[in-house]
Amino acid sequence: MSDVRAIFITGGGSGIGRAVARLFSSRGWRVGIADVNAAGLAETAAMLNGGMVERYVMDVCDRDAWTATLDAFTAASGGRLDVLFNNAGIGTGGPLAEASFADIDRTVAINFTGVLNGARIGHAYLARTPGSVLLNTSSASGIYGSSGLATYSATKFAVRGLSEALDGEWHREGIRVRCLLPSFIETPLLDGVAGGTNRSIRESVTSAGLELTPVDAVAEAAWAAVHGDAVHTYVGKTAQRLKFAARWMPGALRKRMRRSLR
């Protein structure tokens, strides 16, 4: 087995995935990036300044593609998969009663079923690398359900629960499971239009007084999560405040969440 550590990242064509790829590559890791966006993958690869990188056009909902891609990446990495970063996701918002079933199904398929696929299929590859880590991206919306983001919040709660469950299930095999819960991040996900509105999700978030966290801060948090002991890593002021309020001020938080992001 190669001495060079290896990380495989979904959603590597932009945002958090790109930032994590850049950070790990700068610290000597071999990086595999996967995304449905071939142009985005090429842009990410070009930013790694000649680092060890493989890129794969892949849909996280395609289980056969998961197997083929992880086979290819571990062949290139000398058999290693130190970290599988289940990061691909989409942002959707607006009132649930006005959401299309197509948008609901797509959000659940990518944000949760895609993560399940990565965990289920990736397990065999992680088990072959001592000290490996499954890292999943949840969200501050997975701490307390966010008004106007019902389906998105539900998928991020599911990712959080999956991470906790697998940290227990896989402990004896030496696979650690970690979960990032970032605040709203300055990424292209926020450019989407919130359902039932003519505003972007970014405009809805900022109008509600919620800050946007720099994506590089999430990358540093991912590094800390991979090398730390905590299952959950909360990133940004909003995530920290929600964590505190959910535990100590649930009544006040409930009142706030009754306000729509519209």
Side-chain angles (χ1 to χ4, degrees), residues 123 126-132 168-176:
H123 171 268
L126 292 166
R128 298 173 195 146
T129 305
S132 60
E169 283 189 27
W170 295 357
H171 173 72
R172 290 185 179 180
E173 297 175 88
I175 302 171
R176 293 172 292 132

Side-chain angles (χ1 to χ4, degrees), residues 107-171:
T107 302
V108 173
I110 296 172
N111 288 8
F112 184 54
T113 307
V115 173
L116 275 174
N117 289 341
R120 172 64 180 84
I121 296 166
H123 171 268
Y125 301 84
L126 292 166
R128 298 173 195 146
T129 305
S132 60
V133 178
L134 174 68
L135 178 63
N136 298 322
T137 299
S138 179
S139 166
S141 290
I143 301 169
Y144 194 95
S146 300
S147 175
L149 298 170
T151 303
Y152 179 81
S153 283
T155 62
K156 295 305 182 178
F157 266 87
V159 170
R160 178 183 170 188
L162 177 69
S163 302
E164 293 169 359
L166 293 182
D167 184 62
E169 283 189 27
W170 295 357
H171 173 72

Side-chain angles (χ1 to χ4, degrees), residues 4-241:
V4 178
R5 289 173 293 179
I7 180 172
F8 180 82
I9 302 166
T10 64
S14 64
I16 292 172
R18 173 175 290 173
V20 170
R22 293 180 66 182
L23 179 65
F24 277 69
S25 177
S26 72
R27 295 177 180 177
W29 286 53
R30 179 180 295 276
V31 175
I33 48 175
D35 206 299
V36 293
N37 182 354
L41 287 174
E43 291 173 2
T44 300
M47 294 176 181
L48 303 190
N49 299 319
M52 298 170 286
V53 58
E54 277 74 38
R55 47 188 161 124
Y56 308 93
V57 177
M58 189 192 86
D59 183 342
V60 293
C61 299
D62 185 336
R63 290 166 180 158
D64 290 337
W66 265 107
T67 300
T69 300
L70 289 178
D71 279 346
F73 179 62
T74 53
S77 70
R80 296 193 74 120
L81 183 60
D82 295 270
V83 178
L84 193 164
F85 185 22
N86 255 332
N87 169 68
I90 59 173
T92 55
L96 179 64
E98 299 174 14
S100 72
F101 285 109
D103 283 346
I104 291 171
D105 290 345
R106 182 167 177 261
T107 302
V108 173
I110 296 172
N111 288 8
F112 184 54
T113 307
V115 173
L116 275 174
N117 289 341
R120 172 64 180 84
I121 296 166
H123 171 268
Y125 301 84
L126 292 166
R128 298 173 195 146
T129 305
S132 60
V133 178
L134 174 68
L135 178 63
N136 298 322
T137 299
S138 179
S139 166
S141 290
I143 301 169
Y144 194 95
S146 300
S147 175
L149 298 170
T151 303
Y152 179 81
S153 283
T155 62
K156 295 305 182 178
F157 266 87
V159 170
R160 178 183 170 188
L162 177 69
S163 302
E164 293 169 359
L166 293 182
D167 184 62
E169 283 189 27
W170 295 357
H171 173 72
R172 290 185 179 180
E173 297 175 88
I175 302 171
R176 293 172 292 132
V177 182
R178 302 291 180 257
C179 183
L180 291 179
L181 294 98
S183 305
F184 291 101
I185 306 301
E186 184 57 72
T187 75
L189 289 183
L190 296 182
D191 293 331
V193 175
T197 77
N198 60 2
R199 299 190 301 173
S200 71
I201 297 172
R202 174 182 283 103
E203 290 172 315
S204 295
V205 167
T206 54
S207 68
L210 303 175
E211 95 288 354
L212 300 179
T213 299
V215 72
D216 287 344
V218 187
E220 289 288 355
W223 179 270
V226 164
H227 294 88
D229 294 327
V231 174
H232 300 308
T233 297
Y234 300 86
V235 191
K237 293 180 181 178
T238 294
Q240 293 292 343
R241 288 169 180 166

